[in-house]
Amino acid sequence: MTAGQAQAAIFDLDEAGRIVVAHLHLDGALLPILHALQERFGYVPADAVPLVADALNLSRAEVHGVLTFYHDFRRAPAGRHVLKICRAESCQAMGCESLVEHLAAEHGVTPGGVTADGRLTVETVYCLGNCALSPAAMLDGELIGRLERDGLDALVNAARGARP
Ligand code: FES
C-alpha cells in the first residue's frame, strides 16, 4: 500500500449503488462516479460497470470505454506496491518505452496490470516533475530518476520479494 493511501474497502454492490446515486445530480456524472468508486474500493470492478451504465442510461461499452481510456482508473485491486512509470514527452525521449517493454518481457506485467503474485501494480503517469532525470518512475511514492533496465529489475524484484 502506498504511503498515505487510504485503506480500500472490499467491493460491495449496495455501497457502490449508493455512491452512484449520490453523484447522479452532477453534470457529467460518469467521471465523478468512477473516481468515487475507485476512491472507496481502490479500483473500479467490472461488476460496477452495469450499475453505472444503467444509472446514467449509457451502454456498458460506453462506461467500459471511459474506464479503459483514462490511465488513472484501476480495473483490478492494486498490488501491495505501486510502480508508476512516466511515459510523458521527456521520459519518452529518454527511452521509457523500452523500460515498459522490458517490464512485459522480463516480469510479465504491463501498465495497468498487476504481477502474477499480486505484489506489484504498474501504472502509467504523465510527468512526475522529474524530467531532468528522465526516464523517471515512482515506487510507493519514492521518486526514481535515470532509470535503466538493471535498476528497474532491482526495483521490481525488491517490491516482489524483499520489501515487507
Ligand atoms: S516527462 Fe517524465 S518526469 Fe516529466
Side-chain angles (χ1 to χ4, degrees), residues 86-91 127-131 134 136:
C86 178
R87 300 173 77 182
E89 201 170 312
S90 172
C91 289
C127 198
L128 288 162
N130 199 31
C131 313
S134 297

Side-chain angles (χ1 to χ4, degrees), residues 23-38:
H23 291 80
L24 281 179
H25 66 285
L26 298 173
D27 284 338
L30 178 55
L31 285 176
I33 287 172
L34 295 177
H35 280 294
L37 290 170
Q38 177 154 300

Side-chain angles (χ1 to χ4, degrees), residues 96-126:
C96 69
E97 292 306 318
S98 79
L99 294 175
V100 170
E101 288 166 14
H102 182 71
L103 269 175
E106 290 299 315
H107 302 283
V109 62
T110 55
V114 183
T115 51
D117 59 9
R119 291 187 67 90
L120 181 70
T121 288
V122 175
E123 297 179 343
T124 292
V125 290
Y126 289 96

Side-chain angles (χ1 to χ4, degrees), residues 6-25:
Q7 179 72 45
I10 303 292
F11 180 69
D12 175 273
L13 204 53
D14 290 337
E15 187 173 2
R18 287 192 290 276
I19 290 170
V20 170
V21 168
H23 291 80
L24 281 179
H25 66 285

